[in-house]
């Protein structure tokens, strides 16, 4: 899953992005409203973490502009915890709201919930044949046994599982599995697909020639 973190505090931006990368997310960052809006418009992120008070375009205005074009889930962060500020954020189109200081584990739980909701799911456990994908624990089991996957392999399985039954193009997979700092070699996706098939079965991921990949 690929997230955009828009935050003008450099220390918080660094700690948030590094913490989220450790949780297997691909992370892009922006330090002001203008850069954040440009990136949010250019890429279909799985979720955006948005600070309310930003230089240039503030978070509320950024969200209002973005909502005219996209339905990307947005979690707003702000130090302003007054009820009118929370109402302003939700009315502008925020899907959830978290005040600073916040607990990182709560942030993760809210992000997982937003991503599940946007995929039309009510639970963190996805069952596909004999394979179980737990998006909360970020684990995969096959036949009841835990399967060791690399972060990118897990990201591939999770994204296809959340879109099971649909064909996902190679371009879409690249956009959601790799962030702006990754060196995405042209055959890297094929390597991950091959490795997942070795671990979860040759038919777990189907190839649609000229279209992409799917999990039925």
């Amino acid at each position: 899953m690929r997230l955009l973190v828009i935050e003008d505090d450099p220390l918080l931006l660094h700690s948030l992005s590094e913490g989220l990368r450790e949780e297997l997310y691909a992370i892009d960052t922006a330090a002001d409203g203008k850069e954040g809006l440009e990136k949010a418009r250019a890429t279909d992120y799985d979720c955006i973490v948005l600070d309310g008070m930003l230089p240039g375009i503030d978070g509320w205005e950024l969200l209002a502009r973005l909502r005219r074009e996209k339905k990307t889930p947005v979690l707003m962060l702000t130090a302003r915890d007054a009820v009118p500020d929370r109402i302003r954020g939700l009315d502008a189109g925020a899907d959830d709201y978290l005040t600073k200081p916040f607990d990182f584990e709560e942030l993760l739980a809210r992000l997982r919930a937003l991503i599940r909701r946007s995929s039309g799911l009510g639970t963190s456990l996805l069952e596909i044949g004999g394979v179980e994908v737990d998006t909360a624990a970020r684990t995969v089991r096959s036949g009841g046994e835990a399967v060791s996957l690399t972060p990118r392999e897990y990201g591939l399985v999770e994204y296809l599982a959340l879109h099971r039954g649909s064909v996902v193009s190679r371009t879409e997979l690249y956009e959601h599995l790799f962030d702006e700092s990754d060196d995405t070699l042209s055959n890297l996706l094929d390597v991950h697909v091959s490795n997942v098939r070795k671990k979860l079965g040759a038919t777990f991921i189907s190839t649609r020639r000229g279209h992409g990949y799917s999990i039925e």
Side-chain angles (χ1 to χ4, degrees):
M1 295 294 159
R2 188 172 177 180
L3 311 181
L4 173 62
V5 180
I6 309 173
E7 168 63 58
D8 67 324
D9 181 330
L11 291 179
L12 180 56
L13 180 62
H14 177 74
S15 62
L16 257 182
S17 58
E18 289 305 303
L20 290 168
R21 286 190 179 102
E22 289 179 3
E23 294 296 321
L24 312 185
Y25 292 105
I27 303 298
D28 293 346
T29 62
D32 59 60
K34 182 176 182 294
E35 181 187 15
L37 183 58
E38 290 173 350
K39 289 187 175 181
R41 282 172 166 166
T43 301
D44 290 327
Y45 292 99
D46 295 291
C47 194
I48 296 173
V49 180
L50 174 63
D51 183 27
M53 300 179 68
L54 294 167
I57 305 171
D58 70 25
W60 292 277
E61 176 61 23
L62 186 159
L63 182 55
R65 294 189 193 183
L66 184 64
R67 279 293 174 256
R68 297 170 194 151
E69 306 169 28
K70 292 191 171 185
K71 298 181 179 179
T72 308
V74 174
L75 171 62
M76 284 201 77
L77 299 178
T78 181
R80 302 168 71 170
D81 60 356
V83 171
D85 292 314
R86 295 200 297 272
I87 293 173
R88 183 185 177 192
L90 294 170
D91 282 346
D95 298 276
D96 203 353
Y97 197 101
L98 195 58
T99 56
K100 303 174 183 178
F102 55 85
D103 183 85
F104 185 65
E105 292 300 321
E106 181 181 1
L107 172 75
L108 291 175
R110 289 175 182 267
L111 286 173
R112 290 193 297 266
L114 288 178
I115 293 171
R116 282 200 308 272
R117 240 178 8 239
S118 69
S119 300
L121 299 174
T123 177
S124 63
L125 187 62
L126 307 176
E127 297 185 30
I128 305 163
V131 176
E132 295 181 352
V133 182
D134 189 333
T135 63
R138 305 186 80 74
T139 58
V140 175
R141 302 178 71 84
S142 180
E145 298 294 326
V147 178
S148 177
L149 299 176
T150 68
R152 287 287 182 262
E153 291 166 3
Y154 173 80
L156 172 65
V157 170
E158 181 185 72
Y159 193 80
L160 288 175
L162 288 173
H163 297 82
R164 63 197 183 281
S166 300
V167 178
V168 181
S169 70
R170 293 174 62 87
T171 299
E172 184 177 346
L173 285 170
Y174 271 109
E175 288 181 347
H176 289 267
L177 295 179
F178 303 98
D179 61 35
E180 57 195 0
S181 65
D182 283 314
D183 181 15
T184 53
L185 300 176
S186 60
N187 68 334
L188 197 53
L189 184 59
D190 299 312
V191 172
H192 293 318
V193 170
S194 176
N195 289 339
V196 168
R197 285 172 172 159
K198 290 175 183 176
K199 297 176 181 181
L200 297 178
T203 61
F204 182 71
I205 296 178
S206 301
T207 300
R208 300 295 182 87
R209 296 294 180 189
H211 296 283
Y213 299 99
S214 68
I215 291 178
E216 301 301 332

